[in-house]
Amino acid sequence: MQLLEEYFAGSVPVRLRAWDGSEAGPPGAPVVVLRSRRALRRLLWQPDELGLAQAYIAGDLDIDGDLADGLSRVRRSVRERGLPPTAPGLADRARAAVTALRLGALGPRPPAPRARRAELSGRLHSTTRDRAAISHHYDMSNDWYALLLDESMAYSCGYWTRPETPSYGLAQAQRDKLELICRKLDLAPGSRLLDVGCGWGSLSLYAAREFKASVTAVTLSREQRDVVAARVREEGLDDLVDVELRHYRDIEAASGGHDAICAVEMGEHVGDAEYQGFAARLHGLLRPRGRLLIQQMSRGANAPGGGAFIESYIAPDMHMRPVGETVGLLETAGLEVRSVESLREHYAHTIAAWHRTLEEHWAEFVALGGEATARVWRLYLAGGGLAFTERRMGVDQVLAVRPTAEGAADLPATPHDWYAPHDRYASEVRR
């Protein structure tokens, strides 16, 4: 405990329970359970965020109580003490080794947890590497995502217009998000919409079904492409939705340009150096007066990626930036940004809903992916929810337009119609 207290504000913010039943730490705090000496051995071999995560994934370390609360207390205590988030120094490691020796925890490096870890190679953000990065996360299992998500298969932040209403849940929030995007893009029958990074097709199908838009849906994931194609056939939307397996750099422009383009939580995968080219490509694919909607996560300038755990087990090669920098990149490409709407609290609600589903169907998730993978996702969702709640991450909808050479944009005088009440429970055709 003395060694740990050096890293926290006064006392350790969690209670520790060792494999022999001994406990130390403040009563009433979340209990960190060290199930065996191997938990200490893991941290000795890799005394950083990834080592701690792997100890949890492997089941050598557990939380008896609320995982998110435990993570929040630790982070808050470190922040209050003002310690830099760096790995322990040589003296710290020496003291830890002496403690581990006294406890009989020294030994060979434990094997890696039995959870799929990203193993990427090749040039960063080449087409081949981008495809591998996307496949790592999104091709894991369609059954997994079908169990975790709502029936629309929307894997992005919802728009919670009535979170206090008991009958209002994830499915309604995702529907309201899709409706809002379509309204901001001013979709109408015959509108040519390009959905870049279409996921499992939630937006593409909604735009075709409800607004009668003509949609080109693009993804790098074969699993997603196959699911979208099957859903298009099932709903009889073959004449309105075309799904393509290709990189955004290889997208072909519609004759005269697309009327609207959306990229919902896809820009995080583009990369830092590549984002200016991405923005320029979207500008070139739009017709004059055409609209672009980017829904994208943001992060502080000193923490552009997801961290070692996210990069290793969830979404490798991600890059996020402050939203203001994204706005600047879009405008440098010739687009005019007309609206920026923060959805940060909405993502906290969305992730909480996914987390509840994971816990309520825990045995089913374990059967689908194994115990270690289920624990990866428990840690991912608990930590992700905290990041948005504590304002370490944000997510924004950025609406831009490609103005004409004369400066015409053809946007409404006010955004009133975007937020007007609607009821699409019966899937009524809008026009």
Side-chain angles (χ1 to χ4, degrees), residues 178-201:
L178 300 175
E179 176 75 17
L180 179 62
I181 290 175
C182 291
R183 289 188 180 199
K184 286 184 174 182
L185 290 173
D186 194 33
L187 298 185
S191 294
R192 295 168 298 179
L193 170 66
L194 174 62
D195 187 1
V196 184
C198 65
W200 287 274

Side-chain angles (χ1 to χ4, degrees), residues 62 84 151 160 190 199 247 287-288 308 311 341 367 371 384 425:
D62 219 331
E151 55 265 31
W160 296 73
H247 199 279
R287 66 164 174 80
E311 288 283 330
E341 181 172 2
E371 180 84 19
Y425 286 99

Side-chain angles (χ1 to χ4, degrees), residues 78 91 93 264 286 344 419:
V78 170
R93 290 184 182 221
V264 178
L286 272 175
R344 180 173 64 84
Y419 305 101

Side-chain angles (χ1 to χ4, degrees), residues 55-117:
Y56 179 81
I57 295 165
D60 298 327
L61 179 151
D62 219 331
I63 301 290
D64 185 5
D66 188 275
L67 176 59
D69 183 34
L71 294 174
S72 181
R73 289 195 192 203
V74 170
R75 180 176 179 81
R76 185 167 58 249
S77 184
V78 170
R79 186 175 65 246
E80 289 171 357
R81 181 110 179 217
L83 295 173
T86 57
L90 184 60
D92 300 319
R93 290 184 182 221
R95 285 196 297 273
V98 170
T99 302
L101 178 63
R102 188 174 70 249
L103 294 173
L106 288 181
R109 187 170 194 149
R114 292 184 178 180
R116 192 169 63 134
R117 185 171 174 176

Side-chain angles (χ1 to χ4, degrees), residues 37 50 55 110 120 134 207 271 280 294 314 339 359 380 395 401 413:
R37 292 177 174 85
L50 189 57
L120 304 184
I134 293 298
I294 300 281
I314 301 296
S339 170
E359 299 298 343
Y380 165 47
V395 62
V401 64

Side-chain angles (χ1 to χ4, degrees), residues 49 75 79 155 157 265 267-269 295-311 314-315 318-323 341-349 351 354 379-396:
E49 172 194 326
R75 180 176 179 81
R79 186 175 65 246
Y155 184 39
C157 179
E265 296 180 29
E268 299 87 337
H269 300 287
Q295 180 170 307
Q296 191 169 300
M297 287 180 277
S298 59
R299 197 157 187 172
N302 296 324
F309 164 65
I310 296 295
E311 288 283 330
I314 301 296
M318 287 184 70
H319 185 275
M320 294 168 281
R321 64 187 63 76
V323 64
E341 181 172 2
S342 173
L343 307 182
R344 180 173 64 84
E345 292 86 353
H346 295 259
Y347 226 152
H349 286 303
I351 293 174
W354 292 338
L379 188 58
Y380 165 47
L381 294 176
L386 278 176
F388 288 100
T389 299
E390 297 177 350
R391 207 172 67 83
R392 288 181 281 115
M393 286 184 63
V395 62
D396 307 273

Side-chain angles (χ1 to χ4, degrees), residues 9 21 31 88 118 194 199 201 225 265 383 416:
V31 178
L194 174 62
R225 188 272 311 273
E265 296 180 29
H416 175 268

